[in-house]
């Protein structure tokens, strides 16, 4: 049940009864009936300005549908919320995507540039440079919420992150040797690692519950737009920046986006949850009024207050080691980390990092342009995924995504095998199969993985869980980025069979162990995990 209606009176109880109040299912239903009835003004006025009714006490019964958990009417987004989302998406999420895609079409251009200067740049060295992105991501995932974020909050962390962005652009653009670019890629990874650790949590904490999934998906949309922008600018046949003379300008584009964030984000509100724990109730309420509205500020403040007080009373903010030892969150942690692994071991980074090389081996006439076309499809599909996230549900999207990705990898493998036997149209089949991989990924793990930890982990453990989950994500990212070119060289045409196996297993895990989180609070999901038949060591 989502307490977000602008028409609902603020129900409060005074005295000692509030601390011991526990509602039965029928009593909770009666309260819902009262919310939507016409109460006399005198009665409404007598139920105000005292201790808010705890959200968990009204929400202690899990609701069964979106209609029950949603508000009375669609939430109207405030200009401040829209501005904050757009600025963070362009200034942080887009950097992740741009860093992921910019090296794909640029490989031949940059390597030839160094060779023309008489400097060595081998395939292994290039593979090392590309994979250093994952090493930086590991560092950024820890720096973001646990180091920088512990001192200055979500918003300030994203602003500080742009320092690493400028350093990375200088190192890559003016590298006298290949290993300068490798170090620059580490800094690019730090930027992306901080963004992936902070942005989903920030979006989750500033969003109305009923559209939390859609707003959370904006992070993935920013990533896909960043990938597309990098691919368009670096495609040689489009004659933009993909040339020997202009490739250095490719790494100035992220700096422009970062400066937008540095200029605008200080005028946007900090996370209300962070403000509540650091500056108090009044500061959190002011942020909620700006981000949402005066009408719903108290309702959301009640939810934050209840979760924060529960966290402080039960645990306080815990470290990663304490989180791993916490048996009450063991199942949530296993599911959250596994979903993070799903994103990388789905094989999507093999596509985003090396699709141009794959298409080249498949005999596609213009592999760089084909990669750019995939980027366009990726953005379009992600837009539809944003629209469906809060209607279809997270688990449903994940389930069908694994069916589609597994099938697409089977077709991609078949295209390579049959091409070696002279079967016609296999290059077209390889493009079609790769398109399928991207489409199904965008609807499932590409969107869900970024914010599911923030949905299932309580506030007191959220930063540690995000740091651990994103750390594992980047370990897998590095492993795929470094090993895939080597595997492709030695296992063609069977390279993608490994991803057939991983996506099939992820389908099983999703159907059995991943709960539906759409429209539910952390406390409601706790009951789901308690009943889950997941091994708890």
């Amino acid at each position: 049940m989502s307490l977000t209606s602008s028409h609902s009176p603020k129900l409060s109880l005074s005295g000692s009864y509030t601390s011991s109040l526990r509602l039965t299912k029928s009593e909770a239903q009666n309260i819902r009936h009262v919310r939507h009835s016409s109460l006399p003004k005198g009665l409404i006025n007598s139920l105000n300005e005292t201790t808010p009714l705890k959200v968990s006490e009204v929400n202690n019964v899990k609701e069964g549908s979106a209609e029950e958990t949603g508000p009375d009417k669609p939430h109207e987004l405030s200009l401040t919320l829209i501005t904050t989302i757009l600025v963070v998406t362009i200034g942080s999420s887009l950097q992740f995507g741009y860093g992921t895609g910019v090296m794909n079409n640029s490989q031949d251009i940059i390597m030839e540039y160094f060779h023309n200067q008489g400097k060595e740049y081998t395939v292994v060295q290039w593979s090392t440079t590309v994979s250093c992105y994952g090493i930086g991501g590991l560092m950024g995932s820890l720096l973001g919420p646990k180091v920088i974020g512990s001192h200055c909050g979500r918003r300030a962390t994203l602003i500080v992150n742009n320092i690493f962005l400028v350093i990375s652009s200088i190192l890559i653009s003016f590298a006298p040797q290949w290993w300068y670019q490798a170090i620059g890629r580490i800094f690019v990874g730090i930027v992306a690692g901080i963004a992936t650790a902070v942005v989903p949590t920030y979006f989750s904490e500033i969003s109305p519950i009923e559209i939390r999934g859609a707003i959370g998906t904006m992070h993935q949309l920013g990533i896909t737009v960043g990938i597309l922008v990098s691919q368009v600018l670096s495609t040689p046949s489009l004659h933009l920046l993909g040339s020997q003379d202009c490739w250095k300008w490719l790494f100035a584009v992220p700096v422009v986006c970062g400066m937008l964030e540095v200029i605008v984000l200080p005028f946007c509100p900090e996370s209300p949850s962070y403000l509540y724990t650091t500056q108090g109730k009044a500061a959190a309420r002011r942020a909620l009024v700006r981000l949402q509205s005066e009408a719903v500020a108290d309702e959301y403040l009640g939810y934050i207050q209840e979760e924060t007080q529960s966290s402080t009373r039960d645990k306080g903010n815990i470290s990663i080691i304490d989180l791993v030892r916490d048996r009450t969150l063991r199942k949530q942690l296993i599911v959250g980390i596994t979903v993070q692994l799903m994103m990388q071991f789905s094989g999507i980074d093999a596509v985003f990092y090396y699709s141009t090389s794959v298409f080249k081996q498949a005999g596609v006439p213009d592999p760089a342009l084909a990669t750019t076309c995939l980027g366009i499809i990726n953005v379009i599909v992600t837009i539809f995924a944003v629209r469906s996230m809060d209607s279809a549900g997270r688990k449903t999207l994940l389930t069908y995504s694994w069916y589609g990705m597994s099938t697409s990898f089977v077709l991609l493998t078949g295209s390579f095998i049959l091409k070696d036997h002279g079967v016609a149209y296999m290059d077209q089949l390889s493009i079609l199969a790769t398109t399928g991989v991207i489409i199904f990924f965008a609807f499932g793990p590409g969107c869900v993985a970024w914010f599911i930890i923030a949905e299932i982990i309580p506030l007191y453990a959220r930063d540690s869980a995000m740091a651990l989950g994103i750390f594992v994500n980047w370990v897998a990212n590095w492993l795929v980025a470094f090993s895939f070119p080597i595997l492709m060289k030695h296992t063609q045409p069977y390279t993608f069979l490994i991803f057939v196996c991983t996506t099939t297993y992820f389908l099983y895990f999703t159907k059995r162990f991943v709960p539906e989180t759409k429209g539910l609070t952390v406390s409601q999901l706790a009951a789901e995990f308690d009943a889950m038949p997941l091994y708890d060591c």
Side-chain angles (χ1 to χ4, degrees):
M1 177 177 173
S2 177
L3 302 181
T4 58
S5 172
S6 60
H7 299 292
S8 59
K10 182 176 68 173
L11 296 182
S12 302
L13 299 177
S14 60
S16 61
Y17 295 103
T18 56
S19 61
S20 60
L21 177 63
R22 293 294 182 270
L23 301 182
T24 65
K25 180 175 181 179
S26 61
E27 289 170 337
Q29 290 172 340
N30 288 337
I31 286 180
R32 288 197 297 271
H33 174 72
V34 169
R35 286 180 71 233
H36 302 291
S37 62
S38 300
L39 294 178
K41 289 185 178 180
L43 178 58
I44 294 175
N45 293 335
S46 68
L47 296 173
N48 60 10
E49 301 305 321
T50 53
T51 306
L53 185 66
K54 289 187 176 181
V55 175
S56 63
E57 294 168 342
V58 180
N59 279 357
N60 65 0
V61 180
K62 177 187 172 186
E63 307 301 339
S65 67
E67 286 74 23
E68 290 174 313
T69 60
D72 300 330
K73 67 176 184 178
H75 191 96
E76 295 181 1
L77 298 180
S78 69
L79 180 60
T80 300
L81 180 61
I82 294 173
T83 302
T84 304
I85 293 168
L86 288 178
V87 169
V88 172
T89 299
I90 294 172
S92 292
S93 305
L94 187 141
Q95 311 304 335
F96 184 158
Y98 197 92
T100 300
V102 71
M103 306 300 278
N104 196 341
N105 287 343
S106 305
Q107 178 176 351
D108 292 340
I109 299 168
I110 295 177
M111 291 179 72
E112 182 180 353
Y113 174 83
F114 276 86
H115 290 158
N116 290 339
Q117 293 186 338
K119 299 174 182 177
E120 186 181 36
Y121 212 148
T122 66
V123 173
V124 174
Q125 290 169 344
W126 180 261
S127 201
T128 301
T129 297
V130 174
S131 63
C132 278
Y133 186 61
I135 296 175
L138 294 176
M139 299 167 62
S141 65
L142 297 177
L143 279 174
K146 299 304 292 181
V147 179
I148 303 174
S150 63
H151 297 288
C152 56
R154 324 287 193 215
R155 180 187 60 181
T157 300
L158 296 177
I159 295 172
V160 172
N161 196 23
N162 288 285
I163 296 174
F164 302 111
L165 179 65
V166 174
I167 295 173
S168 69
S169 296
I170 294 173
L171 284 172
I172 296 176
S173 298
F174 301 102
Q177 299 290 338
W178 72 269
W179 54 269
Y180 277 80
Q181 288 199 326
I183 296 175
R185 287 286 289 176
I186 291 177
F187 279 97
V188 175
I190 291 174
V191 173
I194 291 176
T196 55
V198 177
V199 172
T201 301
Y202 186 41
F203 280 177
S204 176
E205 292 175 348
I206 67 175
S207 306
I209 292 177
E210 71 275 8
I211 56 172
R212 184 179 56 197
I215 291 179
T217 327
M218 291 298 294
H219 178 56
Q220 177 63 17
L221 180 60
I223 294 172
T224 60
V225 171
I227 293 173
L228 175 59
V229 171
S230 70
Q231 290 168 343
V232 169
L233 293 177
S234 61
T235 299
S237 60
L238 296 180
H239 306 292
L240 296 172
L241 301 179
S243 67
Q244 291 291 311
D245 297 328
C246 300
W247 70 265
K248 293 184 178 183
W249 289 103
L250 285 169
F251 301 97
V253 174
V255 176
V256 175
C257 298
M259 290 304 100
L260 172 67
E261 187 173 57
V262 170
I263 294 170
V264 179
L265 195 56
F267 299 98
C268 300
E270 178 58 89
S271 158
S273 297
Y274 176 81
L275 290 174
Y276 186 91
T277 59
T278 58
Q279 298 183 28
K281 181 176 179 180
R285 190 183 187 281
R286 286 194 297 270
L288 284 168
V289 170
R290 291 184 62 196
L291 289 165
Q292 298 183 34
S293 71
E294 179 77 34
V296 301
D298 287 323
E299 292 174 313
Y300 277 86
L301 186 62
Y303 172 74
I304 294 172
Q305 181 177 354
E306 189 260 344
E307 185 179 10
T308 305
Q309 290 177 346
S310 175
S311 299
T312 303
R313 180 178 64 250
D314 297 338
K315 306 281 184 180
N317 290 326
I318 64 174
S319 66
I320 293 177
I321 295 177
D322 292 334
L323 172 63
V324 173
R325 292 174 177 172
D326 190 343
R327 294 178 61 87
T328 62
L329 294 178
R330 188 69 51 78
K331 295 179 181 180
Q332 288 93 320
L333 188 61
I334 291 173
V335 170
I337 289 178
T338 303
V339 174
Q340 290 292 320
L341 287 174
M342 287 177 180
M343 172 176 283
Q344 302 302 337
F345 288 142
S346 68
I348 195 62
D349 275 333
V351 174
F352 285 146
Y353 286 145
Y354 301 111
S355 60
T356 301
S357 298
V358 172
F359 288 147
K360 187 183 296 183
Q361 292 198 18
V364 176
D366 190 340
L369 185 60
T371 291
T372 301
C373 291
L374 289 180
I376 296 173
I377 294 172
N378 192 22
V379 171
I380 294 173
V381 172
T382 304
I383 292 173
F384 283 100
V386 171
R387 296 174 61 87
S388 62
M389 187 58 58
D390 285 308
S391 57
R394 287 49 148 169
K395 182 170 185 172
T396 300
L397 291 175
L398 276 175
T399 300
Y400 284 105
S401 292
W402 297 130
Y403 278 121
M405 291 189 73
S406 182
T407 303
S408 298
F409 279 125
V410 169
L411 293 176
L412 186 58
T413 302
S415 70
F416 281 105
I417 295 174
L418 295 176
K419 182 178 178 63
D420 289 344
H421 291 80
V423 178
Y425 302 111
M426 289 301 99
D427 53 342
Q428 289 88 344
L429 179 60
S430 66
I431 294 177
L432 180 64
T434 307
T435 302
V437 170
I438 288 178
I439 289 174
F440 288 109
F441 174 82
F443 271 99
C447 291
V448 175
W450 293 124
F451 61 85
I452 195 168
I453 287 180
E455 289 192 323
I456 66 177
I457 298 292
L459 183 62
Y460 68 85
R462 191 169 297 158
D463 282 349
S464 293
M466 284 297 295
L468 182 59
I470 299 300
F471 180 87
V472 171
N473 185 303
W474 280 104
V475 170
N477 181 296
W478 174 86
L479 182 62
V480 172
F482 182 78
S483 63
F484 183 78
I486 302 171
L487 288 173
M488 190 167 61
K489 181 178 179 180
H490 295 286
T491 62
Q492 271 285 7
Y494 304 102
T495 309
F496 289 97
L497 281 179
I498 187 172
F499 298 124
V500 175
C501 297
T502 56
T503 52
T504 300
Y505 172 74
F506 292 150
L507 171 62
Y508 162 78
F509 188 92
T510 298
K511 294 180 70 173
R512 186 161 176 80
F513 299 121
V514 177
E516 179 54 68
T517 64
K518 181 187 70 174
L520 301 180
T521 64
V522 173
S523 58
Q524 290 170 334
L525 287 167
E528 293 269 336
F529 281 103
D530 287 342
M532 184 180 294
L534 180 62
Y535 175 71
D536 184 11
C537 53

